[in-house]
Amino acid sequence: MVTFQEIRENEDIKTYIKMADETLASMKFTEHSFAHVVRCADVAGGILEKLGYDDRTVELAKIAAYMHDIGNVVNRIDHAQSGAVMAFRLLDKMGMKAEEIARIVTAIGNHDEKTAYPVNEIAAALIIADKSDVRRSRVRVEERATISEDIHDRVNFAVEKSRLAVEEQDKKLVLYLTVDENISRISEYFEIFLDRMMLCRRAAAYFGMNFEVNINGTTVM
């Protein structure tokens, strides 16, 4: 049984994550390296764990989330599909069962908002974890001096705190954000992230839950 720890220690996977992020850095994208994928793994696994899914499903979600962006090493366009094919090759080589590989590559192939759909519980958890990762530290140091020129950097840099909560009793997942409105207006957040938040709503619905965004103490979605 291939474990999440084995995936994290695999040097080939580490290389693809590192080089994929370097590709995106050259294109002025926000951070997509180990901080992002580890956070996604923690959040995706945490969602399923709190919702009562079995330990192996939780682990598969962590693996999918950790590997979900390796396709960026090929190209940003269709990176979800490229990443799914790469993940298949890597996991098959490591001896993972076909059924488990299928669940993982389906989730990876369905995480980009242009083509995403919460086709299974792993995909739904990955979508929410990935699209809710907005935070100041995702803005690269070399880009911080010019945040006024780039709305994506500006919005991410304005987020001082970010937390996704699974509120089972109220049947909702809530993204709590603390935003410095002197850096970016709240409206700018939805200007660039509305499609992603609607996708999170669809993914939450897979679990029979609602998705909300709370910014500076006010529910805005």
Side-chain angles (χ1 to χ4, degrees), residues 3-19:
T3 66
F4 176 54
Q5 188 60 37
E6 287 179 275
I7 295 298
R8 289 197 63 175
E9 293 173 356
N10 185 282
E11 292 300 326
D12 290 343
I13 296 173
K14 287 181 183 178
T15 297
Y16 294 136
I17 292 171
K18 179 177 180 292
M19 295 189 71

Side-chain angles (χ1 to χ4, degrees), residues 30 134-136 138-139 147-148 150-160 177-180 183-193 196 215:
T30 51
V134 52
R135 52 187 161 82
R136 176 166 292 180
R138 292 200 71 182
V139 181
I147 58 172
S148 62
D150 188 298
I151 187 173
H152 289 83
D153 284 343
R154 186 164 62 251
V155 168
N156 276 278
F157 195 74
V159 177
E160 298 175 332
L177 301 175
T178 300
V179 174
D180 185 342
I183 297 175
S184 176
R185 301 186 306 275
I186 303 302
S187 60
E188 287 191 315
Y189 179 86
F190 289 100
E191 184 178 337
I192 62 172
F193 288 144
R196 299 182 189 184
I215 300 179

Side-chain angles (χ1 to χ4, degrees), residues 81-100:
Q81 289 73 35
S82 299
V85 174
M86 292 175 65
F88 166 79
R89 176 72 176 86
L90 289 159
L91 296 173
D92 183 58
K93 185 178 179 181
M94 294 176 74
M96 181 178 277
K97 295 179 180 178
E99 181 181 350
E100 293 188 340

Side-chain angles (χ1 to χ4, degrees), residues 173-220:
L173 295 104
V174 185
L175 177 59
Y176 289 98
L177 301 175
T178 300
V179 174
D180 185 342
E181 296 183 60
N182 292 315
I183 297 175
S184 176
R185 301 186 306 275
I186 303 302
S187 60
E188 287 191 315
Y189 179 86
F190 289 100
E191 184 178 337
I192 62 172
F193 288 144
L194 181 59
D195 288 347
R196 299 182 189 184
M197 296 301 96
M198 295 303 293
L199 180 57
C200 286
R201 180 175 286 180
R202 188 184 304 165
Y206 179 93
F207 301 117
M209 305 181 79
N210 294 317
F211 180 81
E212 295 181 0
V213 180
N214 183 295
I215 300 179
N216 295 343
T218 300
T219 298
V220 295

Side-chain angles (χ1 to χ4, degrees), residues 18-218:
K18 179 177 180 292
M19 295 189 71
D21 183 58
E22 290 175 359
T23 297
L24 294 182
S26 70
M27 300 168 67
K28 308 298 184 183
F29 278 83
T30 51
E31 179 268 323
H32 283 70
S33 191
F34 296 100
H36 173 60
V37 298
V38 169
R39 183 183 178 111
C40 286
D42 289 342
V43 171
I47 290 171
L48 296 187
E49 185 174 18
K50 287 189 176 182
L51 293 179
Y53 283 86
D54 63 274
D55 291 344
R56 187 56 179 166
T57 298
V58 170
E59 187 159 44
L60 294 180
K62 289 182 177 181
I63 292 172
Y66 187 77
M67 299 179 70
H68 79 279
D69 268 342
I70 58 175
N72 283 304
V73 78
V74 178
N75 198 295
R76 180 62 178 174
I77 298 173
D78 296 329
H79 76 280
Q81 289 73 35
S82 299
V85 174
M86 292 175 65
F88 166 79
R89 176 72 176 86
L90 289 159
L91 296 173
D92 183 58
K93 185 178 179 181
M94 294 176 74
M96 181 178 277
K97 295 179 180 178
E99 181 181 350
E100 293 188 340
I101 295 175
R103 295 171 73 188
I104 289 171
V105 299
T106 297
I108 293 174
N110 277 280
H111 86 269
D112 184 64
E113 57 264 28
K114 297 181 183 66
T115 56
Y117 196 86
V119 293
N120 60 28
E121 67 277 14
I122 296 173
L126 171 54
I127 286 168
I128 295 167
D130 182 38
K131 305 314 172 192
S132 65
D133 186 18
V134 52
R135 52 187 161 82
R136 176 166 292 180
S137 55
R138 292 200 71 182
V139 181
R140 303 177 193 275
V141 173
E142 59 269 25
E143 305 298 333
R144 295 185 180 187
T146 57
I147 58 172
S148 62
E149 302 171 12
D150 188 298
I151 187 173
H152 289 83
D153 284 343
R154 186 164 62 251
V155 168
N156 276 278
F157 195 74
V159 177
E160 298 175 332
K161 293 181 182 179
S162 174
R163 177 174 66 90
L164 183 75
V166 181
E167 301 182 0
E168 299 169 81
Q169 187 172 354
D170 295 325
K171 291 188 176 298
K172 63 184 181 181
L173 295 104
V174 185
L175 177 59
Y176 289 98
L177 301 175
T178 300
V179 174
D180 185 342
E181 296 183 60
N182 292 315
I183 297 175
S184 176
R185 301 186 306 275
I186 303 302
S187 60
E188 287 191 315
Y189 179 86
F190 289 100
E191 184 178 337
I192 62 172
F193 288 144
L194 181 59
D195 288 347
R196 299 182 189 184
M197 296 301 96
M198 295 303 293
L199 180 57
C200 286
R201 180 175 286 180
R202 188 184 304 165
Y206 179 93
F207 301 117
M209 305 181 79
N210 294 317
F211 180 81
E212 295 181 0
V213 180
N214 183 295
I215 300 179
N216 295 343
T218 300

